[in-house]
Amino acid sequence: LPKSGTTSFTQLFGALGLSTLHWRDPHGRLAGEVISANKQAGRPLLSGYEDIDCFTQMDVCLSAETNYWPQLVDYPQLYVENPEALFVLNKRDPRAILSSFKRWCNKGLTFHERLCAFNPELVGGGDPSDEAFVRMVTQHYTAVESFFCARPRAKFETFDIAHDDLGKLS
């Protein structure tokens, strides 16, 4: 999720010499829009991004028409299409993410307001309460961990940005 270490991961992977996509691709396109177009066209989700080593943030949430959260809704498809990839679930306390979402504004709306307005299906039918957001994040963590736990051959790691040592990623 945004506000849970994605920029720091981008910097880390870039320093390691890996090509990394964080929200916008090298051509300035929004990754979420490109991935959504791939999905709508029946192409693999990451089609056109074969030269990218790491994706640290792939969502887009700008308007009712321009919003898609592949890491929340399509991680099973991402895995099926990329079974050899390493998947890292970067975790942060959901209330800390919420606090950051509420401070991060674009076009007069906080990220939290945009998420509730443009993707109500993700947040308890658009419930703007703190509890609904915390529940969404917690359920996402549980769902992703359960999904990968059921696939013992998957390359999967969780990383708590407040508590884990970077050595865990090696």
Side-chain angles (χ1 to χ4, degrees):
L1 289 171
K3 314 315 282 178
S4 59
T6 59
T7 300
S8 296
F9 278 149
T10 300
Q11 293 169 347
L12 170 67
F13 298 142
L16 294 171
L18 300 169
S19 63
T20 305
L21 189 152
H22 181 261
W23 200 63
R24 284 194 185 270
D25 68 21
H27 306 287
R29 300 173 301 183
L30 299 170
E33 286 185 310
V34 173
I35 296 168
S36 179
N38 285 337
K39 180 178 180 174
Q40 292 171 10
R43 294 185 296 263
L45 295 179
L46 302 181
S47 217
Y49 288 138
E50 291 77 13
D51 294 336
I52 302 294
D53 297 315
C54 305
F55 293 82
T56 56
Q57 188 175 333
M58 54 178 56
D59 54 83
V60 61
C61 187
L62 297 177
S63 69
E65 296 76 33
T66 306
N67 66 82
Y68 175 49
W69 294 79
Q71 72 273 33
L72 291 179
V73 299
D74 284 328
Y75 61 87
Q77 184 175 345
L78 287 164
Y79 171 71
V80 167
E81 293 174 356
N82 305 279
E84 296 303 314
L86 170 62
F87 289 82
V88 178
L89 176 62
N90 48 318
K91 295 173 76 171
R92 182 181 184 197
D93 177 273
R95 291 198 182 276
I97 297 172
L98 176 63
S99 177
S100 288
F101 267 43
K102 286 183 172 183
R103 290 190 312 271
W104 191 28
C105 282
N106 184 346
K107 298 181 182 181
L109 294 175
T110 68
F111 206 141
H112 181 247
E113 291 167 332
R114 287 186 285 146
L115 178 64
C116 291
F118 306 147
N119 295 99
E121 72 282 2
L122 297 178
V123 190
D127 180 354
S129 72
D130 292 0
E131 294 73 28
F133 182 89
V134 168
R135 191 170 37 256
M136 177 203 69
V137 173
T138 303
Q139 288 172 347
H140 172 64
Y141 290 165
T142 300
V144 170
E145 290 171 329
S146 295
F147 175 84
F148 282 103
C149 184
R151 287 152 184 83
R153 297 181 68 167
K155 298 173 187 171
F156 174 73
E157 189 64 63
T158 62
F159 188 85
D160 185 314
I161 67 166
H163 303 293
D164 287 339
D165 181 86
L166 275 179
K168 183 176 184 180
L169 294 177
S170 65

